[in-house]
Amino acid sequence: MTEVRQRKGKTKETLPGKDNLDCPETPLKDNGCEVTEEQACQESEESVLAKENLDCPKTPLSKTPQCNSKSVLFQRLARLFFGCLAAVTSGMMYAVYLSTYLERKFWFSSRQDLEREITFQSDGGVYYYYYKQMLEAPSFQRGLYELMRDNRTISARTINVIEQLSLYPELVTSLLYQITGSQDVIEPIYFYIGVVFVLQAVHVTALFVSSWIMSGTWIAGMLSVAWYIVNRTDASKIEYAIPLRDNWALPYFSCQVAALTGFLRNNINSSTEIFCYLLVSASTFTFMVIWEYSHYVLFVQALTLFLLDSFDLVQTRKVIDIYIIYLCSIALGYFAQFQNTSILSSPLLSLVAGSVLARYLQQNMKKGPVVARLMKIMLHFYLVFTIAFTFSFVVKKIVSSDSGHLFKLLEVKFGFNTTTDFTTNLLLCQEAFQVPSQDLFLRLTQASVLPFYILVLLVCIVSTVQMIYRRLSGEPLVTNPRLEDGWIGQQPEVIYHVFHTIFFGSLAMVFEGLKHLWIPYVCMFAAFGVCSPELWMTVFKWLRLKSVHPAVLALILSTAVPTIIGFSLWREYFPRLINELSELQEFYDPDTVELVSWIKRQVPVAAVFAGSPQMMSVVKLCSGWTVTSLPLYNDADLLKRNENIYQVYAMKSAEDIYKILTSYKANYVIIEEAVCSEMGPSRGCRVKDLLDVANGHVVYDQGDIYAFSKHGRFCHEIKLNLSPYVNYFTRVFWNRSYHVYKVNTVISFQY
């Protein structure tokens, strides 16, 4: 016993000058820094060797938690700074690319204003005309008044152009051009195009941010931008026509989706949540005001949020907050669009109303065992959609809505009905209403985005289904998931984008025109997946990987895979982009230039022109003369006008055409050779074939289709300059593409 006590005493005398010094039993504290017991022993020994009677070392061997927190904060700020810098740089570079590409394609800097404006010849070219009109007005207020009571656009009709065309982008752009004093710095057309390109930069930046928020790394944002630029012809209409409403509206929708992605996150502080909520509010309202079809897009988004709330995958209060934004935007948009009744009868309002009322009727929907909750969810679906359909029916009975032709179009598209109506069949023949071709999927596969998108989507769908089952089983919602958990389906923002991309992808499989709503998020979603350590960890957890630590391997692959993809894209597509910018292209339409120049020189200002809606858009844009119709599809009267004017390509008599043109006070009619002499396989979609069907001039004989009428085709017969056509019309201009005839005010009978 004595020897043992002596050995214990020696253990306390291992260091000289350290008499009666014991290791502390509790952690020591110095200046608020906690030191563990082991560290205290080690540090106290070193302090005795260095300096006696020193209580706290000046240079501890291990970093304290306070120092670690400062280091972590610095790293987060550094990542945030470089991520924001990369996002803004990506958007700016894309805008510069578009500007350079436009110059190389159209030679804007070396062309006259007329030739520049002709490059806008499309359904949306007429928007730029009103931008010019606002700049030419003596004051902004006077220009606004003239647009609200316009009788110089459509013959024999006074319309509110702001309401009819959703001209708020042109109003704001013209106001910015004037108040910023840009008249002496930049030409109006360059300012207009520049604003559109800035919005495209915002669009790309928003996709960057969405992918960054979901994956936690800005490398995903860089990859999403790279895939978007590679697939830009399918992801955007900017190269097709600059003034289209899509190019103005979709950047705001992408901002709204990015802000909504951040808002739905669980581990988000209050200040960031408020900022995201305000951004969602502003972008939703702007999106609804700019684009007349925005409420249909928001309806799909609301349906996604409705499913997330029904399966208890997101905090209920956040869904209610978004519903409030929808209702406020609908109310403000209704008045901003001059009491547009189509907004009140939109499916968005019906769905929100049905969801709110059903929630009030079902108080305990999210409680109970699995089977009971499933039954409650099915009952909830029934209540919501029953109330929504009833609400929509009542509203349409109360207010007059112009959306009837849209539902008729959908009935024919999906085979629930058949029709010989010219307008319906003409719209269904447009490329936007066709099923996507195989070339689209081939291009997406060659760019490597489609294979990764499918793989990421499958993983997220399986994880989401597992999460739904866990929530129905009563497991609580995890607000701070760990990487080791391997549950990518625990993140509400990821689940939202799963439903988002499935819904818009399903619509894009039916209507090719909606691919511009789907493909940008294909690029974003695929980039998020390959750069997300949580997604890789989810896969490794399913595979039960044991040989290598799954978390380490997930972090490595989330960096290595996007790096390899980015290098392959750079090697294959970067030379193509450089060639596009270095190759001098030329857009030249001498026949249209000759026609418009003749109109501006020879035709009286008070004259009225008739022709196809697309041709009238060009005439209005480049000359400003009054026309009989425009390519607008939200007005029943204009749709009927378009059908009547198209009769110049049907088998009608000269007297019938003369009566139609004079009823709209037309002085000149333009006949396009491309429409009149359209050749090739018809597929039933040539204008003259659709007119023959609508007019009952089609005869079916033993499987063959023939067009028969006692009158010849008007556009052919009038070129012969024979009676009775010369009695009603006089040719005043012609070239290879266009024939212009003056409608005689006095009929002269020649035989």
Side-chain angles (χ1 to χ4, degrees):
M1 293 293 293
T2 306
E3 294 178 359
V4 173
R5 291 176 181 175
Q6 290 178 352
R7 290 176 183 176
K8 290 183 178 180
K10 290 181 181 179
T11 58
K12 297 181 181 180
E13 299 176 356
T14 55
L15 295 174
K18 190 184 176 186
D19 296 333
N20 303 324
L21 178 64
D22 293 331
C23 293
E25 297 180 359
T26 59
L28 301 179
K29 294 185 179 180
D30 177 57
N31 299 328
C33 299
E34 289 191 359
V35 184
T36 63
E37 179 178 348
E38 182 180 355
Q39 292 172 348
C41 294
Q42 186 177 2
E43 292 171 1
S44 60
E45 292 174 359
E46 295 180 29
S47 64
V48 170
L49 289 172
K51 186 177 181 181
E52 294 182 358
N53 301 325
L54 185 63
D55 294 331
C56 186
K58 293 183 179 180
T59 57
L61 296 180
S62 60
K63 295 182 179 180
T64 63
Q66 183 178 4
C67 300
N68 284 334
S69 63
K70 292 181 179 180
S71 176
V72 171
L73 178 61
F74 176 77
Q75 292 177 5
R76 289 181 179 178
L77 291 177
R79 286 199 300 266
L80 180 63
F81 172 77
F82 286 108
C84 293
L85 181 63
V88 174
T89 303
S90 300
M92 292 177 59
M93 293 298 294
Y94 181 61
V96 171
Y97 166 79
L98 290 176
S99 178
T100 307
Y101 179 78
L102 179 73
E103 175 63 26
R104 289 291 182 176
K105 182 177 181 179
F106 297 119
W107 291 19
F108 251 56
S109 60
S110 59
R111 292 189 180 275
Q112 300 297 323
D113 288 341
L114 175 60
E115 295 175 322
R116 292 174 180 175
E117 292 171 0
I118 287 179
T119 61
F120 292 159
Q121 57 174 316
S122 66
D123 293 357
V126 70
Y127 294 105
Y128 179 74
Y129 167 78
Y130 296 104
Y131 167 73
K132 293 191 304 178
Q133 182 176 331
M134 286 298 299
L135 295 180
E136 295 170 356
S139 66
F140 183 82
Q141 293 78 6
R142 181 61 185 177
L144 194 63
Y145 176 83
E146 292 178 353
L147 291 182
M148 294 174 64
R149 295 166 178 81
D150 183 273
N151 57 3
R152 295 183 299 173
T153 296
I154 305 296
S155 62
R157 185 177 175 186
T158 300
I159 62 173
N160 185 341
V161 183
I162 302 176
E163 175 188 1
Q164 204 77 35
L165 298 176
S166 301
L167 282 182
Y168 285 105
E170 283 68 28
L171 295 179
V172 175
T173 306
S174 62
L175 182 62
L176 288 176
Y177 184 76
Q178 293 173 341
I179 65 177
T180 56
S182 302
Q183 297 89 335
D184 301 329
V185 180
I186 188 174
E187 298 180 46
I189 191 170
Y190 280 108
F191 187 85
Y192 184 86
I193 294 174
V195 173
V196 179
F197 287 170
V198 168
L199 288 177
Q200 299 307 305
V202 172
H203 187 22
V204 169
T205 303
L207 294 175
F208 184 109
V209 173
S210 297
S211 186
W212 182 13
I213 292 174
M214 296 171 62
S215 64
T217 172
W218 51 267
I219 297 177
M222 298 288 289
L223 183 58
S224 63
V225 172
W227 265 329
Y228 178 86
I229 294 177
V230 169
N231 299 280
R232 67 194 182 281
T233 55
D234 295 315
S236 173
K237 294 183 179 180
I238 190 64
E239 295 184 12
Y240 169 68
I242 293 176
L244 285 178
R245 296 298 87 177
D246 309 40
N247 297 330
W248 288 91
L250 292 184
Y252 291 100
F253 180 64
S254 63
C255 286
Q256 191 252 23
V257 172
L260 182 62
T261 303
F263 180 75
L264 292 177
R265 289 176 62 90
N266 287 325
N267 52 346
I268 181 174
N269 57 58
S270 58
S271 58
T272 305
E273 181 177 329
I274 293 174
F275 173 76
C276 291
Y277 185 77
L278 294 177
L279 185 56
V280 170
S281 304
S283 54
T284 301
F285 169 70
T286 308
F287 179 58
M288 182 167 290
V289 170
I290 289 179
W291 200 21
E292 59 183 331
Y293 301 113
S294 59
H295 51 86
Y296 295 109
V297 178
L298 294 176
F299 164 73
V300 178
Q301 185 184 75
L303 186 61
T304 299
L305 294 173
F306 165 71
L307 291 178
L308 262 67
D309 182 45
S310 299
F311 290 110
D312 201 13
L313 301 174
V314 67
Q315 299 178 32
T316 302
R317 66 170 183 85
K318 292 188 176 183
V319 177
I320 295 176
D321 290 340
I322 300 300
Y323 284 168
I324 294 174
I325 292 177
Y326 288 151
L327 294 176
C328 293
S329 298
I330 289 173
L332 295 176
Y334 172 74
F335 292 104
Q337 294 187 2
F338 304 92
Q339 300 180 358
N340 187 358
T341 56
S342 63
I343 295 181
L344 296 181
S345 60
S346 66
L348 173 63
L349 180 59
S350 302
L351 178 63
V352 173
S355 179
V356 172
L357 291 176
R359 181 188 299 276
Y360 177 77
L361 296 175
Q362 281 185 295
Q363 298 291 337
N364 300 320
M365 186 187 71
K366 300 178 181 180
K367 296 181 180 180
V370 178
V371 177
R373 292 188 66 176
L374 282 175
M375 296 298 294
K376 291 180 181 180
I377 290 175
M378 297 300 295
L379 178 60
H380 185 66
F381 286 172
Y382 174 78
L383 286 175
V384 169
F385 291 109
T386 301
I387 295 173
F389 281 116
T390 305
F391 182 86
S392 178
F393 177 79
V394 173
V395 170
K396 289 180 180 178
K397 289 296 183 180
I398 297 176
V399 300
S400 58
S401 177
D402 294 333
S403 59
H405 66 279
L406 178 60
F407 291 102
K408 181 180 179 181
L409 187 72
L410 295 177
E411 286 181 355
V412 178
K413 170 66 179 179
F414 293 111
F416 297 111
N417 196 2
T418 58
T419 182
T420 59
D421 181 68
F422 170 78
T423 301
T424 302
N425 291 328
L426 180 64
L427 291 176
L428 289 175
C429 286
Q430 303 299 316
E431 183 180 0
F433 288 93
Q434 299 296 315
V435 177
S437 62
Q438 295 181 357
D439 294 338
L440 171 63
F441 304 104
L442 180 61
R443 291 191 296 268
L444 295 177
T445 303
Q446 291 175 343
S448 72
V449 64
L450 187 60
F452 284 105
Y453 166 76
I454 294 175
L455 293 175
V456 171
L457 183 61
L458 289 176
V459 173
C460 291
I461 288 176
V462 174
S463 183
T464 299
V465 172
Q466 291 178 339
M467 188 60 191
I468 292 175
Y469 178 78
R470 294 175 64 184
R471 295 294 294 135
L472 293 178
S473 300
E475 295 189 19
L477 188 66
V478 180
T479 56
N480 292 303
R482 300 178 303 170
L483 175 61
E484 293 79 6
D485 294 338
W487 285 101
I488 192 66
Q490 288 181 341
Q491 303 178 20
E493 67 275 15
V494 174
I495 304 175
Y496 164 77
H497 279 280
V498 170
F499 287 109
H500 177 105
T501 189
I502 289 176
F503 286 154
F504 281 106
S506 301
L507 292 174
M509 295 302 102
V510 181
F511 303 103
E512 186 172 2
L514 295 179
K515 67 181 181 181
H516 306 99
L517 283 168
W518 176 58
I519 293 180
Y521 296 97
V522 169
C523 302
M524 184 275 296
F525 195 77
F528 138 74
V530 297
C531 298
S532 173
E534 288 80 5
L535 186 136
W536 289 103
M537 192 64 194
T538 301
V539 176
F540 295 153
K541 186 175 181 180
W542 292 344
L543 298 177
R544 298 181 180 179
L545 189 63
K546 300 294 184 181
S547 58
V548 183
H549 197 285
V552 176
L553 186 59
L555 292 172
I556 294 175
L557 291 179
S558 64
T559 303
V561 173
T563 302
I564 296 173
I565 296 173
F567 177 76
S568 63
L569 292 176
W570 176 81
R571 185 181 62 178
E572 182 174 357
Y573 289 96
F574 184 74
R576 299 185 188 181
L577 296 177
I578 297 300
N579 290 335
E580 289 179 355
L581 297 181
S582 59
E583 181 182 0
L584 294 177
Q585 306 180 42
E586 184 174 4
F587 178 85
Y588 188 51
D589 190 355
D591 293 340
T592 304
V593 172
E594 183 183 7
L595 171 63
V596 176
S597 300
W598 174 82
I599 292 175
K600 299 176 74 172
R601 290 195 315 267
Q602 302 293 333
V603 179
V605 178
V608 177
F609 279 85
S612 68
Q614 289 72 24
M615 190 67 235
M616 294 302 96
S617 177
V618 175
V619 171
K620 187 64 182 178
L621 166 65
C622 300
S623 67
W625 267 242
T626 305
V627 295
T628 56
S629 61
L630 286 175
L632 300 176
Y633 306 105
N634 59 351
D635 189 292
D637 178 67
L638 288 180
L639 291 175
K640 189 61 179 178
R641 281 188 177 221
N642 294 341
E643 180 178 356
N644 292 336
I645 298 298
Y646 265 124
Q647 296 299 322
V648 298
Y649 302 105
M651 290 184 288
K652 292 282 189 177
S653 65
E655 183 180 1
D656 292 338
I657 300 299
Y658 182 82
K659 290 180 179 178
I660 291 174
L661 296 177
T662 53
S663 66
Y664 296 125
K665 302 185 183 305
N667 304 115
Y668 297 87
V669 57
I670 301 176
I671 295 179
E672 302 170 62
E673 190 66 28
V675 179
C676 183
S677 303
E678 187 177 0
M679 303 299 293
S682 74
R683 293 192 307 114
C685 280
R686 294 184 301 184
V687 171
K688 51 188 179 182
D689 295 335
L690 297 176
L691 289 168
D692 292 340
V693 172
N695 296 333
H697 295 160
V698 174
V699 177
Y700 299 90
D701 183 18
Q702 297 180 355
D704 295 328
I705 303 177
Y706 301 95
F708 174 79
S709 175
K710 63 179 181 180
H711 302 289
R713 198 167 299 278
F714 177 83
C715 62
H716 289 313
E717 298 294 329
I718 195 174
K719 298 175 187 177
L720 302 178
N721 289 328
L722 299 176
S723 180
Y725 297 93
V726 294
N727 301 340
Y728 298 96
F729 306 97
T730 302
R731 187 167 66 177
V732 293
F733 174 86
W734 70 92
N735 58 24
R736 294 176 303 174
S737 301
Y738 306 104
H739 296 260
V740 182
Y741 294 87
K742 183 178 181 180
V743 181
N744 296 334
T745 55
V746 178
I747 303 176
S748 60
F749 292 95
Q750 302 178 16
Y751 299 95

